[in-house]
Amino acid sequence: MKRQMLAIAALCMAHMIGNTQPIVTQAPHGFDTLRNGINHGKIDTIQYVSKTVGSRRSALIYTPPDYSKKTKYPVLYLLHGIGGDEKEWLVNGTPQVILDNLYAEGKLASMIVVMPNGRAMKDDRATGNIMAPEKVQAFATFEQDLLKDLIPYVEKHFPVFTDREHRAIAGLSMGGGQSLNFGLGNLDRFAWVGGFSSAPNTKSPELLVPDPETVKKQLKLLWISCGDSDNLIGFTRRTHDYLFKNKVPHVYYIEPGKHDFNVWKNDLYTFSQFLFKPVDPSTFIRYTVLGTPAATNIRNASYPQVLPDSRVVFRVKAPQAKQLQIDLGKKYDLTRDTAGYWTGTTDSIGEGFHYYSLLIDGVAVADPASETFYGMGRMAAGIEIPYADGDFYALRDVPHGDVRMKRYFSPVTNSWLRCFVYTPPGYDSATDQQYPVLYLLHGGGEDERGWSAQGKTDLILDNLIADKQAQPMLVVMMDGNIAKDNFKEQSLRTFENELMQVVVPLIDKSYRTIADADHRALAGLSMGGIQTLYAGIYHTDQFAYLGVFSSGWLGGKQPIAEQQYAFMKDSAAKINSNLKQFWIAMGGKEDIAYKNCQNMMARFNEMQIKYHYSEYPGGHTWPVWRNNLYKFAQLLFK
């Protein structure tokens, strides 16, 4: 069975919630088996008058083993799917058995569970065409039946608490959508909300949670779960993505399985143990069995998976390998099962894009399950880690520009080269408009593809332009690998010639540019930062904006650096006058170029060169450089 085959047992651990007992993240064998020798709760049928429907309606009610009319209890309203009725949970899910066993183990707060019929119409049987419009509408109508008829009946006839903190709602499939719609839509009535494999009736996240701050303050628990092979998982994922972006605490629980009761019984087992107890929202991200396939996986690849706390689960089939590791900056050992699958989980990985390698018996190779990117001087696997504040490079519903490939013959290198050019939205239709240009340079071991593929340049600019935070501009991403050693003076001079004699004239000829210094910028990361320093400082009459990301002249008395420092000292007034923005950014003290950059800026200070310095933590990595571009682009051409 898939559940048993998955080598994720390490994730199925106990965690503490407040001062309560440990709760495991997956139901153990026998959790739904009827046990003798323990106390059992009771299932009854109740009937209530529904003014909403205009008839008497039925529901099932479970009272716990310790039930007493002298004690008040919280209530869980447990909803069924589109093909069921009030008996669906009883017939297929045996909730009374699951709950009785949990009570016997001391893992559950005493509660009453009400299982209503969520199809609020006079003929509420699951017969005929269950997808008929009037029957689907009846599931929405149930909100009023629940709030105005059923809940008042339960509170009148049973010893229950009547405040929101003692009322929960959860359901499966159609009932999962109802639970999210009704629970989040009535925060004055429910403090605990769970959606199991929620169906397409689930409202869009923006309608479910229009005010994230209110949800953060009022909700005790928001639980959304789904089987990994469920075709409806997209509805759960979109809700999670919105909640994650808006930093709303919630459990995003992905488990092995499809759209069936094997999943939903496990959901009830795990979800119910949270209810009506102290909870610690900071632990919610640890509650899942599986993660979400990384956005950088090739189509249909299930692994690597990113867990809600940004740990990554790898699963690779290599039956003949003797050792397998993941190199993600830090090396992680994987363990092999009898089927030849190697499995392991990393620590939490920082935001955004990261290169990684499989080390198979010591040989570094790209993961065949991942998209590959040119980096580290070779094609390498890459993984994208979701980031709540990453909306600036997210694919949004805004006008989009294009990234175009331009091939050209270079007389400087005597070879055919190419560059990538971002054109802003509307470029082709606005034939009478001219644009400023940012020349954007990659780092060592990368090439002209880096900024568009790893850097998401087009999305960053699309979003900035749509939000009116940046001017529409062209962005030219050229290949900086002009020579074997790109840090030697001859190589930098060759790069300067390529930029100034070939690429800039090519772009001015091929695109509608504003061909003057005030409308031209040059920026680069790491190696590209050195190239920016070399070519840009000598041509401040051609570039009014310079950006240096995670870079700086190397330490020591290097002739090439000393030569430029001498030029800058003699030309300080001209440089300060010509440059509208000299922007230097670093990825914090963990950036490998940090010391070099600090030493360089100290020299700039001595010469009274004006610059602006910015730090964004993250080291020498693409998450830092994406943020650098985001901030730098907002300063240009204004």
Side-chain angles (χ1 to χ4, degrees), residues 473-492:
M473 68 185 78
L474 301 173
V475 182
V476 178
M477 296 159 276
M478 62 179 285
D479 188 356
N481 297 300
I482 302 303
K484 289 184 178 181
D485 188 342
N486 291 308
F487 294 96
K488 293 287 181 72
E489 182 175 4
Q490 182 59 47
S491 298
L492 287 170

Side-chain angles (χ1 to χ4, degrees), residues 305-324:
Q305 293 183 351
V306 183
L307 296 166
D309 61 356
S310 298
R311 290 177 298 151
V312 183
V313 181
F314 287 91
R315 187 169 186 255
V316 180
K317 189 167 187 178
Q320 302 304 315
K322 296 179 181 178
Q323 182 188 44
L324 204 151

